[in-house]
């Protein structure tokens, strides 16, 4: 991570100055906000304005150092693993920048706080710590875990139809529905037969339901 092991940026001859150059040795451990150049306390320059070699992306080379020697992660927007740990000097402002793996963009080096060579800014590290704390609380507090599941639509809500979360539960719900439907149908059929048997016949007689007598057989 030291600047002495950084691959130097090739400066093309007879070309305009590059917008970004690596900070040379010695590199301090961090940068205080008051060291940022005047007039650079607001928004950052857009990423497109910071690329040294935009056309190198199509050839699989780094957009900062124009090299294919190091791996280029997909989320790095064309910045290789060697350049994403370097400290950069913006031209012509002199603002010190560093790649943040949380923002996936260049950020002011002063935004990294006292951990100047961290992979994420102070804000991104704080957000990561808060997410980790919430996950720990959810594991230790079942009610918090249930609330989190409800927010994601994974838990049942009182008064609502239970949600089916897997194939086994889906089959159980289907079987229960079929059984209930069969019981209703049988009850309806029994009512129809009983109603028909109770109707007067054409000759004025009333059909009665047959009575089954059980007989005991002695062998």
């Amino acid at each position: 991570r030291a600047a002495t092991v950084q691959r130097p940026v090739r400066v093309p001859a007879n070309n305009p100055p590059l917008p970004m150059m690596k900070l040379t040795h010695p590199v301090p451990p961090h940068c205080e906000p008051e060291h940022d150049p005047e007039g650079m306390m607001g928004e950052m320059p857009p990423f497109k304005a910071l690329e040294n070699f935009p056309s190198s992306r199509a050839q699989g080379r780094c957009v900062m150092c124009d090299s294919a020697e190091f791996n280029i992660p997909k989320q790095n927007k064309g910045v290789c693993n060697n350049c994403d740990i370097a400290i950069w000097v913006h031209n012509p402002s002199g603002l010190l920048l560093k790649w943040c793996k949380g923002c996936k963009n260049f950020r002011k080096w002063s935004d990294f706080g006292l951990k100047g060579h961290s992979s994420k800014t102070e804000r991104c590290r704080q957000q990561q710590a808060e997410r980790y704390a919430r996950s720990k609380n959810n594991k230790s507090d079942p009610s918090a875990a249930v609330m989190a599941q409800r927010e994601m639509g994974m838990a049942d809500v009182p008064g609502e139809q239970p949600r089916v979360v897997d194939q086994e539960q889906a089959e159980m719900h289907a079987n229960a529905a079929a059984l209930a439907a069969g019981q209703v149908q049988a009850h309806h059929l029994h009512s129809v037969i009983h109603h028909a048997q109770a109707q007067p016949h054409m000759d004025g007689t009333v059909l009665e339901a047959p009575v089954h007598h059980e007989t005991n057989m002695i062998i």
Side-chain angles (χ1 to χ4, degrees), residues 29-31 98 109 111-122 125:
H30 63 274
C31 177
K98 187 181 184 299
W109 193 25
D111 291 341
F112 289 76
L114 295 178
K115 296 183 178 180
H117 292 278
S118 173
S119 62
K120 297 179 180 179
T121 63
E122 198 169 25
R125 296 198 305 269

Side-chain angles (χ1 to χ4, degrees), residues 1 11 34 59 64 88-89 116-117 130 132 150 156 162 164 170 196 214 216:
R1 292 182 180 274
V11 180
E34 55 266 22
Q59 285 76 38
M64 300 306 297
W88 294 85
V89 184
H117 292 278
E130 292 174 356
Y132 178 76
R150 287 180 180 176
D156 296 338
V164 179
E214 295 182 358
N216 297 327

Side-chain angles (χ1 to χ4, degrees), residues 137-148:
N137 291 336
N138 290 342
K139 291 180 181 179
S140 59
D141 185 359
S143 61
V146 171
M147 291 300 296

Side-chain angles (χ1 to χ4, degrees), residues 24-133:
T24 56
H25 188 77
V27 178
H30 63 274
C31 177
E32 298 292 344
E34 55 266 22
H35 295 160
D36 291 337
E38 294 183 4
M40 299 298 297
M41 304 297 292
E43 295 183 359
M44 279 278 304
F47 178 73
K48 290 294 184 181
L50 302 177
E51 293 179 322
N52 286 333
F53 307 97
S55 60
S56 297
R57 181 182 287 104
Q59 285 76 38
R61 300 195 303 271
C62 176
V63 297
M64 300 306 297
C65 66
D66 194 32
S67 171
E69 180 180 351
F70 300 95
N71 180 48
I72 303 177
K74 293 182 179 180
Q75 67 274 17
N76 267 26
K77 299 181 180 179
V79 180
C80 73
N81 278 342
N82 188 248
C83 290
D84 68 7
I85 61 175
I87 310 300
W88 294 85
V89 184
H90 178 244
N91 180 42
S93 69
L95 181 65
L96 298 179
L97 304 176
K98 187 181 184 299
W99 182 263
C100 174
K101 289 185 176 295
C103 301
K104 298 176 177 59
N105 205 340
F106 284 106
R107 290 290 180 260
K108 292 186 294 184
W109 193 25
S110 59
D111 291 341
F112 289 76
L114 295 178
K115 296 183 178 180
H117 292 278
S118 173
S119 62
K120 297 179 180 179
T121 63
E122 198 169 25
R123 178 181 179 183
C124 287
R125 296 198 305 269
Q126 179 64 28
Q127 291 175 345
Q128 183 179 15
E130 292 174 356
R131 288 193 298 268
Y132 178 76

